[in-house]
Amino acid sequence: MTNLLSVEQLTVDFVSSARAPVRAVDGVGFSLRSESTLALVGESGSGKSVSALAVMGLLPRPSAHIGAQSRLQFQGRSLLGQELADWQRIRGKHMSMIFQDPMSSLNPVYSIGYQLAEMLRVHEGMNRKQSRKRAQALLEEVGIPEAARRLDTYPHELSGGQQQRVMIAMALACEPALLIADEPTTALDVTVQRQIMQLLAELRKRRKMAMLFITHDLGLVSEIADEVVVMRNGQVRESGPVEQIFTHAQDAYTKALLSCRPSPERLGQRLLTIDDWMQADASAAPAQSPALKLATPAMQAAMDAPLLEVRNLRKVFDVGGSWFGKKQFVAVENVSFSMFRGKTVGLVGESGSGKTTVGLAMLRLHQASGGEVLMQGRNLLALSKAEFAPYKRHLQIVFQNPYASLNPRFTIAEVLDEPMRLHGIGGDPAARKRMAQRLLDQVGLPASSLGRYPFEFSGGQRQRIAIARSLSLSPQVLVLDEAVSALDVSVQAQVLNLLKDLQAELALSYLFISHDLDVVRHMADTLLVMHQGEVLEQGNAATLYAQPQSDYTRQLLAAAPRLLYQATT
C-alpha cells in the first residue's frame, strides 16, 4: 500500500508579542499508509493534537508558525502553502476530523439534519431533498435509532454517545480518504466507548479509508491501530508496528506509558509514574513500587462501625409535562450502602445510570425524593439548613473538571481560604494561610503556589488543588466524581497514589464514582454496580470483579479496553 499521508520534519511554534516563542512540535515525522490506522500516543502537551491540526490546516493564525523545513504531503500533494479556498475543498471532502467533545463541535442552534445536509450541499452539490435523504442514511449507518425522526432533533437532545455518532456521520459524509479521530472516546463510559471503537473500525474497513487516531489510552491503541507513534514534549520518542512497540519497547517513556495504568497485578502497591521510569536507567525498569501506606492501629479500631449509611435513597426529576400533570424521571431508586472510615466504596455504571446523582443527593446538592442518609445517628436529609451546617464540613466533593470548579479569579490562597473562613476555621488570616500551606504540602505542591491562579497549573496540579480545598474543612467523607477520568495516565497515577496516602493518613472514607473499571478496581474495597438508577449487585470489590453475578456487570468488564500485547522482560 502507498503512503496516503507523509509528515516530515514538522515543527510548529506558537508566537505572541508578550512572551518568547513556544515550540509545540519539534521535528515530527511519520507516514500513514492507505487503508491503515496510525495512532499518535502521548500525554497532554506532547504535540499530538497540534500535529493533527497542522495536517488539517486548522492551526490558529497568525500565532502558529510551521517551520520552513517542514513537509506535509497528502495523496502526493503538498499541503503547505494552500489558500483558504483550497483548504475548503480538501477538508470534509478528502480528509475529516472527529474532535474530543462533540457538544462543543456541533452547533447548538441547528438541528442534526441541517448540519449534516449543509456539508452535503457544499461539498457534493446536492439539493435539499437529496441531502436530507443522504443524511438519514448516514445516521442509520452510524447506528442512530429512528434516524428519520432524529434529523429534526438538536444536539442537546442526544446522549454523549449519540452526539459522537453524529460527529462520525458528519466526518464520513463525503467519503474522505483520511479520518482523523482526536480522543473521540475519552469522555464516554466503557460500553459506549466500545461501541464507538467498533463502529470506527468497521467503517474504516468498509469504506477503505485510513485513520489517524489520537489518544493516551494504550489499551485502545492495541485494539485498533496497525502502527503507533509515541510522542513527548513535541518530539517522537518511538514508532513502529503496534505489536513490536508494545512487546519490545525501547524507550523509557513508552515503557512508562505501558505500566502507569492500574492493573490487578499492582493491587496494594503504589502506581509507577512517568518520573519513576525516566529517572531510572532506560534499559531497566525502576525499582519495585512500594506498598501503599496502611492505617494506624488506632484508626483501624475506629473502622468497625459505619461512618455513614445510605438507606433506600431515591431521586425523581420533573421533566416537563402539561396542565394535567408533570412527567417524571426516576434517576435513583432504592440505593443502599454503608461507608466506613479509611475505606472506599466504588460506584460504577454507564452514563445515565444514576452514579453522580447518588453522590449529589447524599451531600444534599440535590434534594432527595426519599430515603435516609444516616451519620452519627441522624438522618441528614431530614435536617434543616441550620441543623445540617455542622455536618456539611465533614462531607466534601471533588468534581471531574477542576478548572470549572475552581474560581478563575481567585488565587490559590483565596481558593483555600474561602471555605475555612466561611466555616470559622483558623481564627485569623495568618492562621488560615499557615493551614493553606500545610494543605498544599499534603498534596505535593509548593507553598509558592498560593499566589498563583488556576490557569497557571496543569490539569493534574489543578486536581491536587481541588483535593486540597476539599481537605481544608477536615472532612470525613469525600465524594470523588470522575476525579481522575480526564487526566493522563501518569498524572492519574500520581493523583491515585495521593488519594491512597491521604486515606491512610486521615482515615478518609471515599465514594469513588467512575466509569474506568481498572481505576475503581485499584481504589475500591466495596463495589456497587448501577444500571438505570438501581443497584444490580454490590459486595467485596475483588470478589465482584472475579465473579460477577449479573450479565450487565459482565458486559461492563468485557467492554473495558485491554492491552492485546504484553511486554517481554
Side-chain angles (χ1 to χ4, degrees):
M1 287 184 286
T2 59
N3 286 336
L4 177 72
L5 173 69
S6 295
V7 177
E8 299 178 21
Q9 290 296 313
L10 177 62
T11 299
V12 179
D13 293 317
F14 286 92
V15 180
S16 72
S17 57
R19 59 183 181 182
V22 175
R23 177 149 294 183
V25 176
D26 188 5
V28 165
F30 57 84
S31 296
L32 174 57
R33 293 175 287 114
S34 300
E35 301 181 34
S36 67
T37 299
L38 173 72
L40 290 183
V41 177
E43 297 176 284
S44 296
S46 62
K48 310 184 302 294
S49 295
V50 173
S51 298
L53 292 174
V55 171
M56 286 288 293
L58 292 175
L59 288 173
R61 298 180 181 179
S63 60
H65 290 232
I66 295 179
Q69 303 301 315
S70 302
R71 294 186 64 194
L72 299 176
Q73 289 212 318
F74 175 68
Q75 295 178 327
R77 175 185 180 185
S78 175
L79 294 175
L80 298 179
Q82 298 286 339
E83 298 295 331
L84 180 59
D86 297 323
W87 274 118
Q88 289 173 339
R89 285 190 289 268
I90 294 171
R91 287 196 293 258
K93 177 67 175 176
H94 300 287
M95 63 170 73
S96 292
M97 191 165 185
I98 305 169
F99 294 95
Q100 180 174 343
D101 182 9
M103 198 57 193
S104 64
S105 303
L106 294 169
N107 193 319
V109 302
Y110 290 116
S111 68
I112 297 303
Y114 178 89
Q115 294 182 63
L116 273 166
E118 182 184 32
M119 289 192 62
L120 295 166
R121 290 196 297 269
V122 170
H123 289 289
E124 301 293 334
M126 293 183 181
N127 60 33
R128 185 177 181 278
K129 184 177 180 180
Q130 291 171 328
S131 61
R132 185 174 175 87
K133 183 179 179 180
R134 176 61 179 153
Q136 179 180 334
L138 285 165
L139 291 184
E140 290 171 349
E141 185 177 15
V142 297
I144 297 287
E146 302 179 273
R149 184 175 66 84
R150 293 292 189 182
L151 287 172
D152 297 317
T153 60
Y154 290 83
H156 72 272
E157 298 178 89
L158 303 177
S159 69
Q162 289 173 331
Q163 291 170 5
Q164 199 60 286
R165 287 173 184 267
V166 171
M167 287 297 302
I168 294 171
M170 292 179 68
L172 300 181
C174 301
E175 302 190 7
L178 171 63
L179 177 66
I180 300 176
D182 187 3
E183 301 273 12
T185 62
T186 297
L188 304 178
D189 57 62
V190 288
T191 52
V192 178
Q193 180 186 74
R194 171 67 60 184
Q195 294 167 12
I196 296 297
M197 295 308 299
Q198 289 175 343
L199 174 64
L200 286 172
E202 291 168 4
L203 291 171
R204 187 202 65 75
K205 186 175 181 180
R206 186 190 314 156
R207 289 171 170 253
K208 297 183 178 180
M209 62 183 179
M211 182 160 64
L212 183 62
F213 189 78
I214 300 170
T215 185
H216 63 259
D217 190 328
L218 294 174
L220 293 179
V221 172
S222 71
E223 293 183 357
I224 197 171
D226 302 302
E227 298 191 29
V228 59
V229 175
V230 181
M231 294 182 64
R232 189 186 193 209
N233 297 333
Q235 298 180 329
V236 174
R237 299 297 296 248
E238 195 165 6
S239 63
V242 169
E243 184 174 1
Q244 174 189 318
I245 297 298
F246 279 39
T247 56
H248 298 90
Q250 301 299 308
D251 191 86
Y253 181 66
T254 307
K255 296 175 183 177
L257 288 178
L258 290 167
S259 66
C260 286
R261 286 279 297 166
S263 70
E265 295 78 22
R266 299 187 185 94
L267 292 179
Q269 294 183 333
R270 298 181 66 80
L271 296 171
L272 293 171
T273 67
I274 298 290
D275 288 341
D276 293 330
W277 278 90
M278 302 308 289
Q279 291 168 7
D281 184 78
S283 62
Q288 181 67 28
S289 54
L292 291 158
K293 292 180 182 179
L294 297 176
T296 64
M299 289 181 179
Q300 288 282 1
M303 293 177 183
D304 296 333
L307 173 64
L308 182 142
E309 293 182 86
V310 175
R311 296 180 182 174
N312 303 316
L313 188 66
R314 188 171 192 263
K315 176 59 183 175
V316 179
F317 289 99
D318 292 330
V319 290
S322 65
W323 289 100
F324 303 101
K326 292 183 176 180
K327 294 181 181 179
Q328 293 187 321
F329 170 69
V330 180
V332 172
E333 183 71 271
N334 197 33
V335 172
S336 301
F337 59 91
S338 297
M339 300 184 69
F340 295 81
R341 290 183 67 84
K343 299 293 183 181
T344 299
V345 174
L347 200 53
V348 301
E350 296 175 285
S351 297
S353 62
K355 307 186 301 295
T356 296
T357 304
V358 167
L360 296 177
M362 189 181 90
L363 300 184
R364 293 188 24 158
L365 296 175
H366 278 334
Q367 183 178 354
S369 305
E372 299 177 311
V373 176
L374 301 176
M375 190 173 189
Q376 298 174 358
R378 303 193 70 181
N379 179 14
L380 302 183
L381 303 183
L383 301 180
S384 66
K385 287 186 178 181
E387 292 172 325
F388 180 63
Y391 293 91
K392 187 183 295 186
R393 59 175 290 187
H394 298 301
L395 305 167
Q396 294 295 304
I397 187 168
V398 179
F399 294 99
Q400 176 176 354
N401 185 348
Y403 194 70
S405 60
L406 297 174
N407 191 323
R409 298 189 179 190
F410 278 15
T411 64
I412 304 310
E414 292 170 318
V415 165
L416 298 177
D417 179 83
E418 184 184 37
M420 292 189 284
R421 178 171 48 80
L422 291 175
H423 285 268
I425 296 173
D428 59 67
R432 291 197 296 271
K433 182 176 181 180
R434 289 193 295 270
M435 293 179 67
Q437 290 173 333
R438 287 198 297 271
L439 287 167
L440 289 180
D441 184 62
Q442 274 186 309
V443 300
L445 291 175
S448 58
S449 302
L450 288 174
R452 297 164 64 189
Y453 290 86
F455 73 88
E456 299 181 75
F457 295 87
S458 68
Q461 289 171 325
R462 288 198 291 262
Q463 198 62 291
R464 287 171 181 263
I465 293 165
I467 293 170
R469 180 180 59 181
S470 70
L471 295 177
S472 64
L473 301 178
S474 300
Q476 298 177 36
V477 175
L478 268 186
V479 175
L480 301 159
D481 187 9
E482 299 282 7
V484 298
S485 63
L487 304 179
D488 293 320
V489 286
S490 182
V491 178
Q492 184 183 85
Q494 295 169 16
V495 173
L496 292 177
N497 287 340
L498 169 65
L499 290 171
K500 281 286 192 179
D501 288 344
L502 291 171
Q503 186 172 52
E505 180 183 344
L506 305 173
L508 295 170
S509 180
Y510 294 150
L511 178 62
F512 196 91
I513 301 169
S514 180
H515 66 260
D516 191 323
L517 299 179
D518 287 334
V519 169
V520 175
R521 185 203 303 260
H522 182 78
M523 293 294 295
D525 302 289
T526 303
L527 186 65
L528 280 74
V529 180
M530 291 193 66
H531 180 57
Q532 295 181 352
E534 298 183 348
V535 176
L536 290 187
E537 59 180 311
Q538 64 178 297
N540 177 272
T543 302
L544 202 149
Y545 269 96
Q547 299 174 330
Q549 299 301 305
S550 73
D551 290 338
Y552 177 73
T553 306
R554 295 189 193 100
Q555 291 171 9
L556 282 180
L557 293 171
R562 293 285 182 269
L563 290 176
L564 300 183
Y565 313 105
Q566 296 299 321
T568 57
T569 56

